[in-house]
Amino acid sequence: MTPPPPKKNALGLGFLNGSSSVQIWRSRLSWRIAGAVFMTILLVQIAILTLTIKQEEMKLLSEIREVGRSAIAPVLDNPSGILESPMSQIKANRLVSSTIVNGLTIYSPDLLLLGSYGEPLTITLTSQESLSKTYRSVDGGSYEVVYRPNDLRRPFIIVARLNSETVSGHIIDYVRQTILIVLLLSAFVTTVLMITLGYWLLEPLLFMRSNLKIAQQNPENPKIPENPYEEDDEIGGTIEMAQKLIRTNAENMQQVRSAAEDKIHKLAYYDQLTGLPNRTLFIQKLTENAFTSSEDTNTRQFAVITLDLDHFKDINDSMGHNVGDAILRGVGKRLKSALPKEAVVARAGEDEFAVTMELSDETGPARDIGDKVADIIRSEPFKVYNESFQVRSSVGVATYPKDGTDPSDVLKNADIALNRAKEEGRDRIREYSEDFDKAVQIRFQLLRDLRDALENEDLTVYYQPQFNLHNGDLIGAEALIRWWKKDNSKDGGSFVSPADFIPIAEQSGLIVPIGAWVLKEACRTAQTWHEAGKNIRIAVNVSGEQFYQSDLVSYTEEVLKKTGVEPKLLEMEITESVFMDDITIALDTLTRLHQLGVELAIDDFGTGYSSLSYLRQFSIDRLKIDQSFIRNALNNADDAAIAKTIIRLGHSLNLKVIAEGVETKDHEKFLSDEGCDEVQGFRYAKPMPDHEFWEFVQNYNGDLSSFDG
Ligand code: C2E
Ligand code: MG
Ligand code: MG
């Protein structure tokens, strides 16, 4: 609310109330103006005084002249002769001693000196012109005047010296009085001026200043009072303009802010690419739904579906982000148009979407909505730049409030179900179950235990031999990590499969220190074999995380130096997924590793993205056919064809080809017939501790057929 303008008193002098009356006496401006006026009045009065002081003196002197005349005229006698003085010496003495007349000279009309009495005079009459003379002594005590026959009504001319001491006193009094009046007048005028200045100038100025201050403190929402001053004077007009300016500024700022807020809201709550709500807004909407349904929780239920596009990354990487973006937009659009209006569709992550809608008899259970969502995506390919892309999705389903009363928990559970669907091979739907949660808990526990194992040195490295298939030479060993997890069983513990803990280590980043440890350990072992007289190439698995999170090249160089292993005795096995993350970094790192002299192999070849283009770009030495193809080669024509193709492809690129998972003589024969170069598998040996491996090396006679039977 706008505060009311300052109230005015009966005189209309609002500033006399409260602080503004104090302000006026503190106002420098008022004091300056009043001071200037005060000085002006003073100067004018002084000027007037100097002009009037002469008149006043003249007036006083003429009064004295009159007094002198009245004293002289009565004592004049009628002389008998024309040249005789009309005043006896006795009368003259009395006159001089008892009146203001101190001396006099008497002349005949013809200016003949008739007599002279008392003090001598300065004026002597010599001509008619000298009759108009007056004389004032320097100290102002005497004043000489000429009385003519007309003044005296007698035929004489008298020059009298009169005592004029009183005139100076009178003049001083006059000046004093005048100055006092001037001061009082000036003070009065100043006061009146201050008051009027306060009313017409200071009060409006202070009003404007206070409003400007309010506007400065809160420019966007200034609570300024209405302008109480007439707009038709300069000050009122100025205040009105300032008021308008403050309000316009506030309006502008409000507009700018609300636009910015809108924008921030959009950025914070909406996905820019698809225009769909993001995860945060999705949870908010879910919360709103849950909140409004709280009165009736028994009957209102919501499906929460999360959906992840399968192999979206591959599309993005191979076809470019434009295509990926277009598909994401298409998915959003399709979901929105195919689902009922009330359904909330959000983009919950890079290639993850989330849907929530209320369940009813018509919709069926959440699972049905999950099916529908998967069908919407699968129903027909997405068309981008005239190309068709068949997109499939993994779907996680959860129900509110069955799977959590907190909306973000329900979403989290849908995500857990989604992860399960992905783990189980994608392109499928999984409904949340509490068992999933337990599985997650178990994973967390496993991660904690793995950390401890790394610290407590419960990890070891096993070695599995690799052979030259053409001549039977033992040429290398794959280093495979082993975790002996202690427990209370009668064996005192059990091995945890790398397949179980490596993915967890990768997700948590723990693979980086683990991988570093394995590399060092394997190199150390290879060097002991070398020193004992056997050059056995050691193959170490390097996971994608390790590739991007640590400075693999300089670390490898350091390990080679420290252990003294010849670089060509170290091979690094990477999987195809490494190439997918960032082709530039991958290319650079592989090139630098190769420059160290380290050999490079692609592990599990054929299961990944299998883009042949990178094979030519990267400096690779070896392809390692995934064991699934070898296992099935003999009873599945497709797998056999793949294995054969890989061997041919490898050779066409001048690469060695090694097969892993060789379990039987038939496997070996198949590979040998196809010209595969190297083999590794249970047919020859399982992975074993270093001392066992060394024994194995010692005992091996160089003939692969020794493993028959
Ligand atoms: P991989 O690199 O493909 O290793 C080969 C796996 O196949 C090993 O499993 C090995 O024991 C197994 N194997 C070898 N020959 C045969 C066979 O004839 N038949 C069958 N059924 N299996 C055979 P393992 O040791 O359980 O390792 C599993 C995976 O864990 C490895 O697959 C590798 O991806 C990963 N891994 C193991 N050690 C490390 C490591 O130190 N660092 C990283 N990053 N990953 C590792
Ligand atoms: Mg491997
Ligand atoms: Mg492998």
Side-chain angles (χ1 to χ4, degrees):
M1 216 198 66
T2 319
K7 286 218 176 77
K8 304 205 168 176
N9 59 22
L11 288 169
L13 305 180
F15 63 89
L16 290 179
N17 295 324
S19 63
S20 47
S21 61
V22 178
Q23 304 247 27
I24 174 124
W25 302 113
R26 291 199 188 139
S27 157
R28 283 189 186 200
L29 179 67
S30 302
W31 275 116
R32 277 188 205 139
I33 295 175
V37 170
F38 182 90
M39 290 308 291
T40 313
I41 295 174
L42 210 64
L43 285 173
V44 168
Q45 290 295 336
I46 286 169
I48 291 171
L49 188 69
T50 41
L51 289 176
T52 55
I53 212 162
K54 200 75 199 156
Q55 282 174 8
E56 185 66 18
E57 188 182 26
M58 296 310 289
K59 198 181 100 197
L60 288 168
L61 288 175
S62 84
E63 276 171 24
I64 282 183
R65 185 178 194 274
E66 184 53 30
V67 172
R69 194 196 65 80
S70 335
I72 294 168
V75 293
L76 289 178
D77 297 328
N78 283 326
S80 46
I82 196 121
L83 295 173
E84 210 174 301
S85 169
M87 191 175 295
S88 65
Q89 188 64 47
I90 300 167
K91 279 188 181 173
N93 289 347
R94 204 182 303 140
L95 183 72
V96 167
S97 62
S98 61
T99 67
I100 63 161
V101 181
N102 291 343
L104 70 167
T105 321
I106 303 174
Y107 294 87
S108 71
D110 302 332
L111 301 179
L112 291 174
L113 181 67
L114 299 181
S116 190
Y117 311 93
E119 290 174 10
L121 274 74
T122 311
I123 298 176
T124 42
L125 299 180
T126 49
S127 63
Q128 286 301 318
E129 283 79 50
S130 58
L131 293 189
S132 55
K133 272 189 186 169
T134 57
Y135 167 75
R136 188 104 197 268
S137 65
V138 179
D139 61 0
S142 302
Y143 180 48
E144 291 180 16
V145 291
V146 179
Y147 298 111
R148 299 185 190 204
N150 269 354
D151 301 321
L152 303 166
R153 306 219 182 275
R154 307 295 278 274
F156 304 108
I157 296 169
I158 297 177
V159 182
R161 185 179 178 93
L162 308 171
N163 183 342
S164 64
E165 274 168 355
T166 54
V167 171
S168 302
H170 273 106
I171 290 292
I172 287 168
D173 283 351
Y174 171 75
V175 169
R176 265 199 205 126
Q177 259 177 29
T178 314
I179 285 178
L180 186 71
I181 290 169
V182 166
L183 284 175
L184 285 175
L185 186 71
S186 301
F188 176 71
V189 169
T190 307
T191 310
V192 170
L193 194 70
M194 288 288 268
I195 290 171
T196 42
L197 275 179
Y199 176 48
W200 280 314
L201 197 68
L202 185 67
E203 190 186 343
L205 266 181
L206 288 178
F207 174 77
M208 188 158 85
R209 189 174 74 175
S210 121
N211 284 359
L212 287 171
K213 208 171 182 177
I214 294 172
Q216 189 195 33
Q217 281 162 356
N218 188 359
E220 210 187 306
N221 196 8
K223 296 208 177 349
I224 51 168
E226 287 301 320
N227 177 12
Y229 300 99
E230 302 288 332
E231 276 173 52
D232 48 12
D233 75 33
E234 293 78 357
I235 292 267
T238 309
I239 291 179
E240 191 53 33
M241 276 170 74
Q243 303 277 90
K244 276 188 187 145
L245 217 73
I246 290 171
R247 294 209 169 94
T248 318
N249 182 51
E251 275 165 27
N252 287 346
M253 285 182 84
Q254 280 164 9
Q255 271 172 11
V256 168
R257 198 181 59 145
S258 87
E261 271 171 4
D262 275 1
K263 191 152 188 206
I264 289 168
H265 184 266
K266 276 227 167 85
L267 286 174
Y269 291 108
Y270 286 88
D271 167 52
Q272 300 303 297
L273 180 70
T274 58
L276 294 176
N278 63 13
R279 199 177 183 93
T280 316
L281 186 58
F282 183 80
I283 293 176
Q284 239 177 51
K285 295 211 170 202
L286 207 59
T287 312
E288 279 164 26
N289 284 345
F291 185 73
T292 46
S293 72
S294 63
E295 305 150 17
D296 206 2
T297 31
N298 290 339
T299 47
R300 296 191 75 181
Q301 292 194 330
F302 294 86
V304 177
I305 313 288
T306 52
L307 157 150
D308 193 284
L309 306 183
D310 294 343
H311 303 294
F312 177 73
K313 213 171 157 358
D314 295 353
I315 296 180
N316 233 353
D317 289 337
S318 59
M319 305 308 295
H321 286 262
N322 284 351
V323 174
D325 288 354
I327 289 177
L328 288 174
R329 274 195 294 265
V331 169
K333 248 191 220 149
R334 215 185 260 185
L335 286 172
K336 271 222 77 89
S337 60
L339 290 167
K341 258 216 196 92
E342 311 76 62
V344 179
V345 178
R347 186 172 172 208
E350 198 187 350
D351 57 344
E352 186 181 328
F353 291 81
V355 175
T356 181
M357 60 182 277
E358 187 168 5
L359 295 175
S360 64
D361 292 343
E362 277 164 47
T363 64
R367 166 81 195 213
D368 290 359
I369 295 170
D371 281 328
K372 188 170 177 195
V373 163
D375 281 344
I376 292 168
I377 305 301
R378 197 184 312 150
S379 58
E380 54 176 307
F382 287 86
K383 280 236 154 61
V384 182
Y385 304 134
N386 287 332
E387 286 286 336
S388 292
F389 294 88
Q390 181 60 56
V391 177
R392 288 173 191 278
S393 58
S394 306
V395 176
V397 177
T399 310
Y400 170 88
K402 177 172 79 74
D403 295 329
T405 45
D406 179 34
S408 54
D409 278 351
V410 187
L411 181 61
K412 192 189 81 195
N413 290 340
D415 272 339
I416 290 175
L418 170 65
N419 275 337
R420 184 52 81 98
K422 287 203 278 190
E423 277 168 13
E424 289 180 10
R426 303 177 194 263
D427 190 17
R428 64 199 65 211
I429 295 187
R430 281 295 165 264
E431 218 173 333
Y432 173 75
S433 125
E434 278 184 9
D435 294 346
F436 293 180
D437 232 3
K438 278 184 205 136
V440 171
Q441 295 304 326
I442 289 169
R443 278 169 162 231
F444 272 114
Q445 187 55 47
L446 200 67
L447 180 61
R448 280 192 290 270
D449 292 344
L450 183 58
R451 261 201 194 104
D452 292 345
L454 180 65
E455 268 177 32
N456 303 337
E457 299 180 357
D458 288 340
L459 301 177
T460 46
V461 180
Y462 274 31
Y463 301 89
Q464 188 179 28
Q466 297 174 333
F467 302 90
N468 181 324
L469 185 54
H470 307 306
N471 61 18
D473 286 352
L474 195 159
I475 44 137
E478 180 171 9
L480 293 158
I481 193 166
R482 290 292 175 266
W483 174 15
W484 177 253
K485 192 163 175 283
K486 292 179 195 133
D487 57 29
N488 297 328
S489 66
K490 73 175 180 352
D491 297 332
S494 60
F495 279 112
V496 185
S497 164
D500 288 337
F501 71 84
I502 292 288
I504 294 172
E506 282 174 340
Q507 278 163 20
S508 65
L510 198 61
I511 192 68
V512 176
I514 290 179
W517 177 80
V518 172
L519 181 68
K520 199 159 69 185
E521 185 66 15
C523 285
R524 214 180 41 75
T525 312
Q527 182 62 10
T528 57
W529 297 335
H530 170 76
E531 283 163 11
K534 292 269 183 210
N535 276 345
I536 299 167
R537 187 188 62 227
I538 197 103
V540 176
N541 292 285
V542 177
S543 104
E545 309 304 311
Q546 242 178 309
F547 212 77
Y548 292 101
Q549 281 188 16
S550 66
D551 193 354
L552 188 63
V553 182
S554 57
Y555 181 73
T556 308
E557 195 176 5
E558 187 189 315
V559 169
L560 289 173
K561 247 192 218 143
K562 275 196 181 152
T563 55
V565 171
E566 265 184 71
K568 72 171 168 52
L569 287 185
L570 173 64
E571 177 171 74
M572 289 182 148
E573 290 189 4
I574 49 175
T575 54
E576 289 163 287
S577 62
V578 166
F579 303 104
M580 302 302 107
D581 291 343
D582 189 322
I583 197 101
T584 331
I585 295 182
L587 183 67
D588 177 62
T589 310
L590 287 180
T591 311
R592 280 158 61 216
L593 281 173
H594 218 237
Q595 280 164 359
L596 291 182
V598 168
E599 303 227 318
L600 299 170
I602 298 180
D603 202 356
D604 305 338
F605 192 79
T607 55
Y609 180 67
S610 297
S611 162
L612 301 181
S613 59
Y614 66 78
L615 285 181
R616 259 183 262 277
Q617 288 182 47
F618 295 133
S619 8
I620 297 155
D621 304 280
R622 196 169 268 99
L623 293 185
K624 202 166 182 187
I625 311 173
D626 188 67
Q627 49 181 288
S628 60
F629 303 118
I630 310 303
R631 194 180 308 134
N632 302 325
L634 302 176
N635 45 32
N636 182 317
D638 283 349
D639 285 345
I642 291 172
K644 286 181 202 173
T645 311
I646 293 174
I647 294 168
R648 231 153 288 150
L649 172 78
H651 288 164
S652 74
L653 294 168
N654 265 337
L655 305 176
K656 288 259 183 304
V657 180
I658 181 167
E660 62 183 334
V662 181
E663 294 187 356
T664 62
K665 190 170 165 53
D666 291 343
H667 289 156
E668 187 189 280
K669 183 166 183 308
F670 165 77
L671 291 164
S672 173
D673 290 348
E674 295 307 325
C676 184
D677 307 292
E678 295 162 1
V679 282
Q680 171 189 345
F682 291 175
R683 168 167 159 76
Y684 316 104
K686 290 199 167 171
M688 51 202 144
D690 56 352
H691 58 274
E692 273 180 40
F693 182 86
W694 185 241
E695 246 169 69
F696 177 88
V697 172
Q698 304 289 311
N699 297 336
Y700 178 54
N701 61 8
D703 184 2
L704 289 179
S705 62
S706 62
F707 298 109
D708 291 349

